[in-house]
Amino acid sequence: MTTPPPQGNPFAQGQQQPYGQPQGQAPQGGFPQQGGQPGFPPPGAPVPPPKQGRKLSFKTIKNIVIVLIVAGVAIGGYIASKDDANTAAVGDCMHRGSTDDNDPDLEVVDCGDAKAQYTVLAKMEGNFSGLTAQNKCEAEAKDFQYVYTETNGSKSFLLCLKDK
């Protein structure tokens, strides 16, 4: 007669408790912990997708660069034109930046500046031509020496100048 085998698995070598489990208790969830490193899912488990960060596309970067360039040009143009002849007022001093009579490049300067060459005696809004400009300056500023006209659509004006 033969004896029955002992209860359980006759080939088991004795079970060890998983790391971190107290002796005599079953692991949580009823399953022993699978191999692998702590904090990582066991092999074969689905991996969560990586977090989607905000990615800038080439088109977005290109548009940002274009906006910055346009803004830079606009601001630069505004700053460069702050001292142009169109900002001059009666009593301001002017400097001629060019020897070209068709484009003298007049700019407003401080009257104490060594570059100051002319004083504005009168300024009139409107579109004036040669003889008309002379007549207007004679009526507004008797001792004028020079006439400067700028025609720019609705921003046309006339300056009557004399040497400083």
Side-chain angles (χ1 to χ4, degrees):
M1 192 166 200
T2 62
T3 46
Q7 293 293 329
N9 185 351
F11 301 106
Q13 300 248 341
Q15 290 187 340
Q16 286 185 319
Q17 291 294 327
Y19 180 74
Q21 294 289 329
Q23 289 282 341
Q25 286 186 346
Q28 288 180 338
F31 298 102
Q33 184 174 357
Q34 298 293 320
Q37 295 182 2
F40 290 96
V47 178
K51 290 185 179 181
Q52 291 291 331
R54 184 172 187 160
K55 296 181 182 178
L56 293 177
S57 69
F58 176 75
K59 183 178 178 181
T60 302
I61 293 171
K62 178 186 74 159
N63 289 341
I64 290 171
V65 168
I66 289 171
V67 167
L68 290 175
I69 289 171
V70 169
V73 168
I75 291 170
Y78 172 74
I79 291 171
S81 70
K82 272 180 48 175
D83 295 335
D84 284 349
N86 62 346
T87 63
V90 174
D92 283 348
C93 291
M94 306 290 292
H95 169 73
R96 183 176 180 156
S98 169
T99 58
D100 182 5
D101 286 339
N102 294 323
D103 186 16
D105 190 26
L106 290 177
E107 66 176 335
V108 177
V109 294
D110 184 63
C111 289
D113 191 339
K115 295 190 318 182
Q117 296 171 296
Y118 311 108
T119 303
V120 178
L121 300 177
K123 181 176 183 179
M124 291 163 266
E125 303 294 324
N127 192 356
F128 301 96
S129 61
L131 190 55
T132 308
Q134 290 281 11
N135 292 337
K136 283 288 190 183
C137 281
E138 285 175 3
E140 293 292 322
K142 301 283 186 237
D143 56 347
F144 83 97
Q145 294 171 310
Y146 309 101
V147 173
Y148 174 79
T149 59
E150 190 168 303
T151 305
N152 190 10
S154 63
K155 296 182 180 182
S156 299
F157 62 93
L158 163 69
L159 294 178
C160 304
L161 308 169
K162 76 171 187 173
D163 286 326
K164 182 173 175 299

